[in-house]
Structures are given as C-alpha cells and as structure tokens.
Amino acid sequence: MTKAGVIFLFFLSGSAYAAEKPPELWSWFKDLNKSKEACEIQSSYALQVIGLENQIENEYGIYGNIKSNRVVVKCIEMSPTESKLMVAVAGYNRDSVELVRNKIVDSIY
C-alpha cells in the first residue's frame, strides 16, 4: 500500500458517520529554512502545545487527534538546510478543521 493510501485510510477509519457525510480535509504546504530534523522537532513540540492526543511518530509523519479532528504533519527534506512542511487535518466540522490546520501552520516557521 502506498503512503497516500495509508494516509487516506487513516483519515477515514473508525467512523460510521463517514458513510453519511464525507469529512472536510484541509491541507497546507509550507517551505521552511530549516533542516528536516529541525522541522520534525518543532512540529512535534507545536502539536503537543495545541493538545494533540494519541501522538504517533514514524517515518511517514506525526499523527494524532485534536478533539474530533485527525491530524498528520510531515516534514520533507529539500536540502540539508531546507524542508517542506505538509499539514493535513480532517474532521466533520469545517470551522474546527480550518482552525486546527491554521493553528498548526502558524506555529511552525
């Protein structure tokens, strides 16, 4: 299974409500002037500060929940001193999903 397939299943798993209404999915990409490792450290810290629950970190990113929203954050190495941040948030409340996505993106610079 591809990484995209795993992420897709991650967002859709565990909810009977998903059959009635698809979740909102908000994402963002951001270029950073820092290494992939620095991006991962700052991302992990920022997610803990905003209350990420059930945080799991692996080679595919950082995953967890904030209230009823599912979150994935991935840092991609562009060069030894530059990285790209990918943030995706899914949930059934549009305002909540947008707010969580924006809080995460704004807290990682």
Side-chain angles (χ1 to χ4, degrees):
M1 183 176 288
T2 66
K3 290 180 199 175
V6 170
I7 291 172
F8 180 73
L9 289 175
F10 171 79
F11 282 121
L12 295 181
S13 66
S15 177
Y17 189 64
E20 297 173 22
K21 177 184 169 191
E24 294 281 331
L25 175 61
W26 288 58
S27 62
W28 191 266
F29 290 88
K30 186 176 188 178
D31 293 322
L32 302 175
N33 291 320
K34 62 178 69 185
S35 69
K36 177 185 175 189
E37 182 178 3
C39 172
E40 290 170 340
I41 290 168
Q42 187 178 16
S43 297
S44 180
Y45 177 75
L47 291 169
Q48 289 173 15
V49 167
I50 64 170
L52 187 73
E53 300 171 345
N54 306 316
Q55 184 168 325
I56 297 171
E57 296 184 42
N58 61 33
E59 67 271 16
Y60 302 114
I62 304 169
Y63 303 86
N65 302 314
I66 298 176
K67 301 280 185 190
S68 63
N69 299 303
R70 291 189 166 231
V71 174
V72 62
V73 173
K74 171 85 175 162
C75 296
I76 303 162
E77 182 175 24
M78 304 307 285
S79 75
T81 60
E82 295 179 317
S83 58
K84 186 174 291 283
L85 172 71
M86 189 278 295
V87 175
V89 179
Y92 293 100
N93 182 291
R94 179 184 180 98
D95 293 336
S96 176
V97 171
E98 180 183 19
L99 177 68
V100 170
R101 191 271 321 255
N102 291 346
K103 287 276 189 189
I104 294 168
V105 170
D106 291 344
S107 66
I108 303 168
Y109 47 89

